[in-house]
Amino acid sequence: MPTARESLLDAAQAALHHLPWSGVRMVDVAAAAGLSRQTLYNEFGSKDGLARALLRREADAYLQGVDRLLDEVSGPVDPLVALAEWTVGQARTRPLLRALLTGCWGERLPEPRPVRMGTVPAGVPAQRRADAGLPAPAEVVALVRDRSLAVLGPYGVAASQGPGPYGQDVEEWSRNSADRCELAMRLALSCVIAPAADGVGTLVRRVVGPTPPPRPVPPSAFAGPSVPADGRPPGSTPVGPSAVGAPGGQCAEPES
């Protein structure tokens, strides 16, 4: 059974499906949750406090989903692909998440406002956490990057044994793991705003996926043309001593 706080948050989020945030009334939220308005104010303090709590819950739900997904997918690239696809799909159906990830707040959404200076801290611990502020989009990227990096297993920062993708040294592969994790997340956010024609998964795999090392070039490819011991170019006609070096600097007559 949901707590009173969760019921109130559910009611507020349901109201956003039909009304802009400016049209959502505290008394209606309390009534929809089957609770008193006093209970609502005890939990959140104000409508701005309710907005901060609503957005804090959305951010927490997203990061918990990231953790679950990363636990289910393994490999050097597949977790990043799955995470990017999941993020884009969730942002399409969750307006609050889309705003959190992009920083683009529309008129219908509750844009987070900081707690006013001198305000008495909330008595509810969950509300104090919500009032502490939300992660900005760049901070969300960093949080997801660090989570991704921590679960990449033998291809992450702690690995030092065995071959990496395509036989690459694991240390060499993991050197750029943090950059790959962040780039995958930033590609996902770009596709939240401007969807990729081939899908974000294809894009992420193409950009951050392992590439085979170049094929070794045989040493013979760097060698010049072979030169015989007598110094003449290959394929040339031998020149006898009678044809050069004639006395008086004149060419010798060819022998009959």
Side-chain angles (χ1 to χ4, degrees), residues 158-174:
S160 60
Q161 75 281 352
Y166 294 105
Q168 292 169 304
D169 183 78
V170 169
E171 183 177 353
E172 177 184 355
W173 169 256
S174 64

Side-chain angles (χ1 to χ4, degrees), residues 13-130:
Q13 188 151 7
L16 279 174
H17 292 306
H18 312 289
L19 297 169
W21 182 246
S22 59
V24 176
R25 301 193 310 164
M26 297 287 274
V27 63
D28 295 333
V29 171
L35 298 166
S36 69
R37 188 168 60 171
Q38 187 60 50
T39 300
L40 176 60
Y41 279 99
N42 288 344
E43 281 290 337
F44 306 104
S46 65
K47 187 176 180 180
D48 284 343
L50 175 60
R52 288 189 292 269
L54 197 60
L55 295 169
R56 179 75 261 179
R57 184 175 75 160
E58 190 71 11
D60 290 345
Y62 171 70
L63 292 174
Q64 290 165 6
V66 168
D67 291 337
R68 286 194 301 269
L69 188 145
L70 291 174
D71 284 341
E72 295 170 359
V73 186
S74 61
V77 177
D78 288 349
L80 303 181
V81 172
L83 179 57
E85 292 176 335
W86 179 79
T87 294
V88 172
Q90 291 294 303
R92 286 174 182 163
T93 59
R94 292 161 59 181
L96 289 179
L97 176 60
R98 180 186 175 95
L100 282 168
L101 293 176
T102 63
C104 300
W105 301 91
E107 295 180 356
R108 298 186 60 86
L109 300 179
E111 186 173 355
R113 297 177 181 175
V115 178
R116 294 179 181 179
M117 295 291 294
T119 300
V120 177
V124 179
Q127 188 59 34
R128 288 200 299 270
R129 181 169 179 267

